[in-house]
Amino acid sequence: MRKSNSLLTHIDWPLLASFFVLLFFGIATVYSVSFSEEHPNVFSLSEKYGKQMIWLGISLFLGLIIFLIDASIYVKYALLFYSATIVMLIIVLFMPPINGARAWIGIGSMGIQPAEFAKISTSLLLAKYISELIIKQQTIKTVLYAVGILFLPSILVAAQPDAGTLIVFSSFLFVLYREGLTFDPIILRLLNSFRGLKFKSTWIGSHFIPVLFVFLLLFAVTLKLNDSVFELWFFPNIKINGVLFIVLILATLSILSIVFFRVFSTKRDRPKILLVIILGFLILSSLVFFVNTTFNHLAKHQKNRIELVLGMKEDPNGNDYNRNRAMAAVGSGGLTGKGYKKASVSSVRSNHVPESETDFIFCPFAEEWGFGGSIVLILVYLFMVLRILFIAERQRSIFIRVYAYCVAMILFYHFAINIGMNIGLAPVIGIPLPFFSYGGSSVISFSIMIFLLLKLDSNRMDVLR
Amino acid sequence: MNLENRKYVIIAFILFIASVYAFRLFYMQVIDDTWVLRAQEIAEKRKEVVPPRGIILDRYGKKVVSNKTYYNLMMVEEKFGVLDTIAFAKLINWSPLEVRKRFDEIKEKEGYYVNKRTNKKTSNYQKSRAYPFLKELSLDEITKIALKLDEFPGFYEEVASMRSYPFSNSANILGYLNEATRKEIDLDRYYKPGSNLGRSGIERYYEKELRGRKGIKYIVTSATNNAIESYANGKYDTTAQQGQSLTLGLDILLQEYGEKLMQNKRGCIVAIEPSTGEILCLVSSPSYDPNLLVGRKNISLNYPQLLKMEGLPLFPRPLQSEYPPGSIFKLVQSLIGLQEGVIQSNSSFVCNKGLVGCHNHPTAQSVSEAVQYSCNPYFYAVTKKIIQQQKSKNINSDAEIGLNLWHKYMTSFGLGIKLGTDISGEKPGLIPNSIYYDKWYGKNNWSFSTISSNSIGQGEVKLTPLQMANIAVIIANKGWYYAPHFVKSIGGKGPHKKFTVKNITMVEQKNFDPVVEGMRRVVNEAGGTGKLARLTDIVVCGKTGTVQNPHGEDHSCFIAFAPMINPKICVAVFVENAGAGGTWAAPIASLIIEKYLKQTVNAEREKSILEKHINYVKVP
């Protein structure tokens, strides 16, 4: 009795509400986009909306069960869940491929995608591991263990191949960052093996998220300038390519910072700073060369895709077909949209945007509701993610906090990549929009993710480790 | 190390991405219209629905011009897949080379535009668009092809409509349709490459009425270019409206009969209903079957031939041929003389062959008798009295005053000016005035004697056969006429406004009586020149004309109206190089009158006339 009371009083209603709002928007859009005159009933099982209704029903039923089960089992059996999904991820590699990827277990349309559930179990195990970790006593072993938890499912997902989910797994890095996990033990071991160096910590090791962004920016710039040729004003006859140009800029920046620190740092620190700058320059330069060489040796279609995202190429009827059609659908929505069920570019009937009920479901929504609808949708997602972060931060239990962070970052990744590819800001990577996209595994796994969080959160007053 | 604060890094990251997305969406959906245009390009098609042209009926409601269905074989290159050119060529019975040539031709015909952004010359041709590969196929032709068309994706048949002329005549009246030229397309956006417009005749004059209103349908198309639904539930669509049907004053059976009568002759018949000005028939001989100029194929094949053919069948003689009127002109001279008071109805002039040649006949004791005998010296005298009225002491300036007065009368009869009928290309004829002769002879350097030939319809005066018939109309109406016109009613709402304006001549009604009596005598009294036009139970009033022709045999001319009381039909017949008006034109006119008033003709009489005509020999 006490438990069910605490569930009702402690459940986080704002999160639950935003969850239902998105579910409702989702099914409404699936209904609109794949509407069939012959089977107008939203429950007609021959149509996608009918099936989606079943997935929603199953999700809510599973949510009820989650609410009834004692929350402590998730800590207790985290490793078991994790192992089970890993086994499934291995099994899935022996299944016949569908659309070029071995992502499904099961027969025909009734299969499940273990990768969707691997996100949950990985979150749970990571939460359990970090909650048991003494953060100030990290060793190479603890770091490798944490990274290993993420690495194992990532490799298996990559083997399917499922680039989308692989990228989503990188969202856990944000969680590690928040929890203070540092790569310092490994970096220090390498760095201090140099004679005369004695670093106690590196900024890079713990602030890997900002570092990651610097790397990504450098990536993008390198690719963007891949084919460019520069002529230097002081050497008018010498032409250099983009890579050399970037390295030249990096070198200039390095020299400037050496000069800067010569003036402003103590004599004792100078050798160290010099070393850091030189090392940084070498690492970044080799990264630039590495990226450039890899890019030039990529398969043509992969190269194409990258070039399209960076806007280096236009190919609206060829390789960029999907993205171009998707953007036309979104952009043609205007301020107020074309009206419900009036999407002309992205409806399944017109079929200009492929997968408009799954990966490209934002298209019909944005086309039908325009900027007004789109901004509401973004705000609802933003609210949900921020609410989860709020929930995370109010926990006494590290386990729940880590889990909540995992959920928030996974949802945000899905949101950002999915909508980003609809508006030309992210590469076309097939991942579903949470609670929106048609598909059993996606709807059910995201719902479980939220219900687990709600359940754990409702127990926040109990001291759970 | 305060880990708590790291949440702000993450929140900042999330807010940053979300706001970038919000701005991006605002830009894409609200500010920038690139994607709206792109979506239209992708998913919306503006489809024009061309209505069938209005049909044309004769005065009794018989279909003179109707539409018939034909088929175009359309192609969409994008959907070809792998096209087996050889098999396709075999299907349409062409050589593969011809098929390839046709593809190039289609592309070339679409032309090029210069892309302003890239400055590149780009073809208007689009692979995703439908173009007619074969045009104007008959049902038989398309069925042969359609059977196997499934094997060639990207090809499909399309229904269109084309003119059809059930009566195979009145080609010069109806005109024909032809593809709009580049210039016409630029001038009027209604037309698109391949659309037809009226090139001559009624089809041209009433183009706007006949073409109707195009419908525009906005449809949503799928990725495979199939229409799936109408855009915005058809909110912006307009429906096509068929052009208005035209009812002609023409009696198509009379026209058919007239063309039969004029076979193997050059010349024309014009018949007008005097009370309305409606043209009952307008025969130009030789003529051609209007069905010869239906569709691109036929036109390119037949038009050059017709253009070069002997007798110029494309030349609409009744409107564009200007002939000296000959003796029929004497009717107008008498009317002016009577109105001016220079003669009375009982005036008599001696047939003085010294002034101008004449044939042997009793002396005319009145205007009526002068008309009956067609006495040349009589009208020489009448016209002299009109021109030289002694209003000036100088004979030359007296002639100038007289001629200009005379010219004014003529203009009120619609002579020397365009009558303004509803077929373009009409000629005004020629009625000289003082300026005209001043140019020839110098001012004050001419008088009546210089221009006296005009008094008997020779010399400088020239009339079109339409004007000749209109003289009969004016006499039948005793002083007024409506501009002769073909279309009696546009879409059931009456004729064009300008055909409801009565034109009143300068001659009073009472002065017509002696002339009408004279015309009765021409046909019905002994010594009349037009007795071959006599009908047993209808009083025909007529006037013959034998037009001297320096290039060969005289032209035979006859105008008439009937019946005398309450006239129903006015006719002008002009047969080139046929000799005397009484022998050739008069019987033809009488048959037309009989046919129109009684629907049938006296077979025996018709036979005797036609037999005589078989022996007719054209003089080149």
Side-chain angles (χ1 to χ4, degrees):
Chain A
M1 276 315 282
R2 200 194 69 84
K3 259 181 186 157
S4 61
N5 267 346
S6 79
L7 182 69
L8 283 180
T9 47
H10 293 121
I11 198 159
D12 192 72
W13 291 106
L15 177 59
L16 193 63
S18 58
F19 167 69
F20 277 117
V21 165
L22 289 173
L23 280 189
F24 176 73
F25 281 2
I27 184 68
T29 309
V30 170
Y31 181 71
S32 154
V33 78
S34 53
F35 178 74
S36 152
E37 298 276 353
E38 290 133 48
H39 307 103
N41 192 319
V42 74
F43 294 103
S44 49
L45 294 181
S46 57
E47 301 300 331
K48 294 207 161 140
Y49 34 88
K51 289 180 187 147
Q52 183 81 340
M53 288 303 281
I54 293 190
W55 309 136
L56 292 183
I58 293 175
S59 303
L60 296 182
F61 178 71
L62 288 175
L64 198 67
I65 291 179
I66 287 167
F67 280 158
L68 296 176
I69 294 175
D70 186 22
S72 61
I73 66 156
Y74 304 115
V75 189
K76 219 183 279 175
Y77 298 120
L79 186 60
L80 184 69
F81 292 141
Y82 182 79
S83 313
T85 47
I86 292 295
V87 170
M88 287 210 290
L89 282 176
I90 293 169
I91 292 173
V92 93
L93 295 179
F94 297 98
M95 289 291 147
I98 294 170
N99 291 336
R102 299 171 196 274
W104 296 80
I105 291 185
I107 310 134
S109 59
M110 294 307 285
I112 59 161
Q113 285 173 289
E116 296 294 328
F117 298 97
K119 290 173 206 162
I120 308 177
S121 60
T122 306
S123 305
L124 287 174
L125 188 63
L126 191 68
K128 180 177 156 76
Y129 178 71
I130 290 178
S131 66
E132 286 164 355
L133 189 71
I134 301 156
I135 215 72
K136 285 184 180 159
Q137 294 179 7
Q138 295 183 56
T139 61
I140 291 179
K141 202 175 146 195
T142 61
V143 173
L144 287 180
Y145 197 99
V147 170
I149 291 173
L150 307 181
F151 202 61
L152 186 56
S154 301
I155 283 194
L156 291 170
V157 164
Q160 289 185 0
D162 179 354
T165 311
L166 178 65
I167 290 176
V168 170
F169 267 93
S170 72
S171 66
F172 290 118
L173 290 176
F174 282 85
V175 182
L176 298 184
Y177 171 70
R178 163 65 185 86
E179 292 304 323
L181 195 113
T182 170
F183 291 97
D184 268 0
I186 299 170
I187 296 172
L188 288 179
R189 167 71 61 85
L190 293 171
L191 216 79
N192 290 347
S193 61
F194 285 97
R195 192 174 286 269
L197 285 180
K198 204 96 186 112
F199 284 100
K200 284 207 185 75
S201 69
T202 64
W203 191 84
I204 296 171
S206 50
H207 290 85
F208 48 87
I209 286 292
V211 169
L212 199 67
F213 286 130
V214 172
F215 275 29
L216 281 177
L217 187 73
L218 206 61
F219 251 72
V221 172
T222 308
L223 296 179
K224 183 111 191 166
L225 299 183
N226 185 41
D227 292 331
S228 316
V229 173
F230 292 88
E231 199 170 309
L232 300 173
W233 56 272
F234 47 89
F235 289 126
N237 294 323
I238 299 172
K239 290 191 171 116
I240 58 169
N241 63 22
V243 176
L244 282 176
F245 182 72
I246 296 168
V247 171
L248 209 65
I249 288 189
L250 286 176
T252 318
L253 285 177
S254 305
I255 291 165
L256 283 176
S257 43
I258 288 171
V259 173
F260 178 83
F261 283 111
R262 260 215 120 67
V263 180
F264 291 102
S265 65
T266 58
K267 205 169 188 179
R268 193 170 62 88
D269 284 342
R270 268 179 209 159
K272 232 189 212 174
I273 288 166
L274 189 69
L275 184 76
V276 168
I277 290 172
I278 290 171
L279 264 179
F281 171 72
L282 288 178
I283 290 169
L284 292 178
S285 305
S286 44
L287 184 80
V288 167
F289 276 112
F290 173 74
V291 167
N292 187 57
T293 324
T294 317
F295 178 66
N296 287 334
H297 287 89
L298 278 179
K300 207 172 175 188
H301 71 275
Q302 291 166 317
K303 213 172 150 178
N304 264 333
R305 195 176 274 196
I306 292 168
E307 284 173 332
L308 290 170
V309 172
L310 293 171
M312 292 155 68
K313 249 188 192 172
E314 276 187 23
D315 189 7
N317 294 320
N319 289 311
D320 203 19
Y321 181 94
N322 295 1
R323 205 168 64 117
N324 182 273
R325 296 302 186 274
M327 287 170 78
V330 173
S332 67
L335 182 63
T336 53
K338 294 178 184 169
Y340 186 57
K341 288 215 275 193
K342 299 225 174 95
S344 55
V345 182
S346 56
S347 79
V348 169
R349 277 152 291 145
S350 71
N351 204 26
H352 289 294
V353 181
E355 302 290 328
S356 60
E357 73 279 27
T358 56
D359 295 343
F360 280 105
I361 196 155
F362 179 69
C363 285
F365 182 84
E367 195 182 351
E368 289 178 350
W369 300 103
F371 176 70
S374 310
I375 199 77
V376 166
L377 190 70
I378 285 185
L379 288 176
V380 174
Y381 272 112
L382 191 63
F383 172 81
M384 183 181 235
V385 170
L386 294 179
R387 181 75 199 173
I388 295 173
L389 291 185
F390 171 79
I391 290 172
E393 293 293 343
R394 76 182 173 193
Q395 302 302 324
R396 281 188 279 174
S397 148
I398 298 175
F399 174 80
I400 304 178
R401 184 177 75 207
V402 175
Y403 176 73
Y405 257 96
C406 288
V407 172
M409 292 321 295
I410 290 169
L411 283 179
F412 181 69
Y413 256 59
H414 272 266
F415 158 80
I417 292 173
N418 188 292
I419 292 187
M421 75 183 181
N422 279 290
I423 58 178
L425 293 179
V428 175
I429 293 164
I431 59 171
L433 188 60
F435 319 114
F436 239 78
S437 292
Y438 167 79
S441 294
S442 132
V443 166
I444 292 174
S445 66
F446 279 115
S447 301
I448 290 177
M449 214 180 265
I450 294 292
F451 282 122
L452 270 180
L453 178 63
L454 286 167
K455 172 68 179 174
L456 292 169
D457 176 57
S458 71
N459 283 351
R460 64 184 175 273
M461 296 307 170
D462 309 347
V463 179
L464 253 167
R465 232 163 49 92
Chain B
M1 194 159 57
N2 190 348
L3 295 174
E4 187 92 354
N5 285 339
R6 287 192 175 182
K7 74 180 178 201
Y8 295 116
V9 174
I10 293 172
I11 289 171
F13 172 70
I14 289 171
L15 287 175
F16 172 71
I17 299 268
S19 47
V20 166
Y21 280 19
F23 279 113
R24 170 77 172 169
L25 277 165
F26 185 70
Y27 180 73
M28 273 178 73
Q29 297 187 300
V30 183
I31 297 173
D32 188 13
D33 60 357
T34 315
W35 296 106
V36 177
L37 298 175
R38 181 70 183 138
Q40 278 171 358
E41 201 178 313
I42 294 167
E44 287 164 31
K45 292 274 175 320
R46 185 175 178 276
K47 207 177 160 192
E48 285 186 345
V49 185
V50 182
R53 277 176 88 84
I55 56 163
I56 302 178
L57 308 166
D58 90 336
R59 68 188 292 111
Y60 300 119
K62 292 196 184 68
K63 255 184 214 170
V64 178
V65 182
S66 60
N67 296 312
K68 72 174 175 210
T69 308
Y70 67 97
Y71 301 85
N72 285 339
L73 181 64
M74 308 296 288
M75 56 163 247
V76 179
E77 190 180 342
E78 204 177 61
K79 291 200 216 159
F80 280 178
V82 184
L83 177 67
D84 185 349
T85 320
I86 296 166
F88 180 71
K90 211 173 161 190
L91 176 68
I92 60 169
N93 219 348
W94 282 18
S95 75
L97 189 71
E98 284 173 315
V99 170
R100 250 168 269 136
K101 261 190 186 164
R102 176 71 185 135
F103 283 137
D104 295 339
E105 192 185 300
I106 291 165
K107 280 170 206 174
E108 203 51 48
K109 209 181 163 207
E110 282 305 303
Y112 297 88
Y113 73 96
V114 176
N115 188 323
K116 274 181 192 151
R117 218 175 44 168
T118 59
N119 248 333
K120 266 185 203 158
K121 203 174 145 198
T122 319
S123 176
N124 286 324
Y125 178 84
Q126 283 183 20
K127 283 185 178 179
S128 58
R129 264 196 207 149
Y131 294 95
F133 184 81
L134 290 176
K135 283 178 172 182
E136 297 159 10
L137 300 173
S138 69
L139 183 62
D140 282 353
E141 288 170 309
I142 196 74
T143 11
K144 272 180 215 151
I145 297 171
L147 281 174
K148 285 192 173 174
L149 219 50
D150 288 351
E151 294 166 25
F152 304 100
F155 285 95
Y156 63 95
E157 72 243 45
E158 189 192 70
V159 186
S161 92
M162 201 153 69
R163 284 309 211 190
S164 151
Y165 306 93
F167 285 93
S168 311
N169 55 37
S170 47
N172 280 311
I173 302 171
L174 303 172
Y176 66 103
L177 301 181
N178 200 359
E179 255 177 62
T181 62
R182 185 80 247 169
K183 211 174 155 192
E184 283 159 337
I185 293 165
D186 291 342
L187 279 172
D188 188 343
R189 303 203 120 200
Y190 186 90
Y191 303 106
K192 293 265 146 24
S195 41
N196 281 329
L197 55 77
R199 187 59 70 206
S200 69
I202 302 280
E203 295 274 24
R204 178 169 168 190
Y205 195 89
Y206 291 97
E207 170 68 17
K208 287 227 163 72
E209 286 81 3
L210 285 169
R211 73 187 184 187
R213 208 180 66 192
K214 260 189 207 173
I216 293 161
K217 261 187 175 167
Y218 294 93
I219 46 174
V220 177
T221 53
S222 71
T224 45
N225 216 10
N226 294 321
I228 47 165
E229 59 200 13
S230 72
Y231 177 72
N233 286 332
K235 200 162 73 179
Y236 306 106
D237 294 2
T238 52
T239 44
Q241 261 180 11
Q242 182 172 12
Q244 290 164 303
S245 61
L246 301 181
T247 307
L248 302 181
L250 196 79
D251 177 350
I252 191 66
L253 295 178
L254 188 67
Q255 174 78 18
E256 197 174 27
Y257 186 63
E259 287 186 20
K260 194 175 127 198
L261 293 175
M262 291 299 285
Q263 259 170 23
N264 303 321
K265 302 177 188 66
R266 287 187 201 172
C268 16
I269 302 174
V270 180
I272 301 174
E273 184 180 61
S275 59
T276 57
E278 289 163 13
I279 295 171
L280 299 169
C281 80
L282 185 119
V283 177
S284 178
S285 187
S287 186
Y288 62 95
D289 181 348
N291 290 304
L292 289 177
L293 295 184
V294 173
R296 225 168 56 99
K297 262 187 298 188
N298 282 329
I299 290 174
S300 59
L301 186 72
N302 296 325
Y303 189 84
Q305 288 188 23
L306 287 170
L307 203 62
K308 281 183 287 183
M309 199 181 275
E310 204 188 332
L312 307 175
L314 289 171
F315 180 60
R317 287 184 160 73
L319 303 176
Q320 295 191 357
S321 244
E322 294 165 312
Y323 303 106
S327 298
I328 61 169
F329 206 55
K330 293 167 183 168
L331 299 172
V332 191
Q333 306 286 31
S334 354
L335 290 168
I336 299 172
L338 289 166
Q339 180 68 30
E340 277 298 298
V342 295
I343 54 164
Q344 308 304 318
S345 61
N346 57 2
S347 297
S348 176
F349 298 95
V350 180
C351 182
N352 181 356
K353 294 196 180 74
L355 293 169
V356 52
C358 200
H359 53 103
N360 290 322
H361 60 83
T363 301
Q365 301 296 337
S366 66
V367 172
S368 305
E369 281 184 26
V371 169
Q372 180 187 350
Y373 304 136
S374 195
C375 177
N376 286 342
Y378 188 98
F379 289 100
Y380 179 94
V382 170
T383 312
K384 187 173 181 181
K385 279 180 170 273
I386 297 170
I387 304 292
Q388 309 280 194
Q389 290 197 31
Q390 320 297 331
K391 284 180 180 166
S392 168
K393 280 176 188 157
N394 180 314
I395 187 170
N396 299 115
S397 58
D398 190 42
E400 184 181 328
I401 295 167
L403 182 73
N404 286 343
L405 179 70
W406 177 81
H407 183 268
K408 241 177 166 176
Y409 273 102
M410 288 297 171
T411 307
S412 84
F413 275 73
L415 307 179
I417 55 167
K418 288 182 187 182
L419 284 168
T421 188
D422 46 358
I423 287 186
S424 47
E426 188 196 347
K427 287 274 161 64
L430 178 65
I431 299 294
N433 58 8
S434 62
I435 300 166
Y436 181 90
Y437 287 118
D438 286 349
K439 217 180 267 169
W440 275 105
Y441 302 109
K443 199 161 170 68
N444 292 332
N445 220 353
W446 53 272
S447 66
F448 172 71
S449 55
T450 329
I451 60 170
S452 64
S453 306
N454 290 319
S455 54
I456 55 164
Q458 298 289 153
E460 286 74 39
V461 287
K462 273 182 187 146
L463 305 186
T464 63
L466 186 70
Q467 286 170 328
M468 296 176 191
N470 201 45
I471 292 173
V473 168
I474 291 165
I475 298 171
N477 287 337
K478 298 189 176 169
W480 57 268
Y481 70 97
Y482 288 117
H485 54 276
F486 295 94
V487 173
K488 183 187 165 87
S489 178
I490 304 167
K493 292 191 280 279
H496 195 291
K497 263 206 320 274
K498 72 179 186 191
F499 301 126
T500 58
V501 181
K502 214 182 229 186
N503 299 287
I504 296 165
T505 60
M506 288 161 69
V507 179
E508 285 167 65
Q509 194 182 338
K510 64 172 174 33
N511 292 325
F512 281 89
D513 295 334
V515 175
V516 171
E517 170 58 18
M519 287 174 79
R520 187 194 66 78
R521 291 175 180 215
V522 166
V523 178
N524 298 292
E525 298 293 324
T529 51
K531 51 186 183 297
L532 282 179
R534 194 179 301 166
L535 294 173
T536 47
D537 43 3
I538 298 167
V539 183
V540 176
C541 303
K543 179 75 194 80
T544 54
T546 305
V547 183
Q548 288 166 25
N549 178 13
H551 309 294
E553 191 77 22
D554 292 348
H555 300 312
S556 173
C557 174
F558 187 74
I559 68 170
F561 65 87
M564 183 172 166
I565 310 297
N566 200 8
K568 288 272 179 282
I569 178 169
C570 299
V571 191
V573 178
F574 200 98
V575 189
E576 292 180 19
N577 314 112
T583 37
W584 294 97
I588 291 175
S590 72
L591 286 173
I592 289 289
I593 290 169
E594 193 181 10
K595 175 83 179 168
Y596 178 69
L597 293 178
K598 293 164 67 179
Q599 264 73 52
T600 53
V601 292
N602 183 329
E604 248 174 72
R605 184 166 169 271
E606 182 194 32
K607 202 180 152 201
S608 72
I609 292 169
L610 289 181
E611 260 169 18
K612 199 163 64 177
H613 286 188
I614 288 169
N615 304 322
Y616 169 81
V617 183
K618 275 185 297 171
V619 179

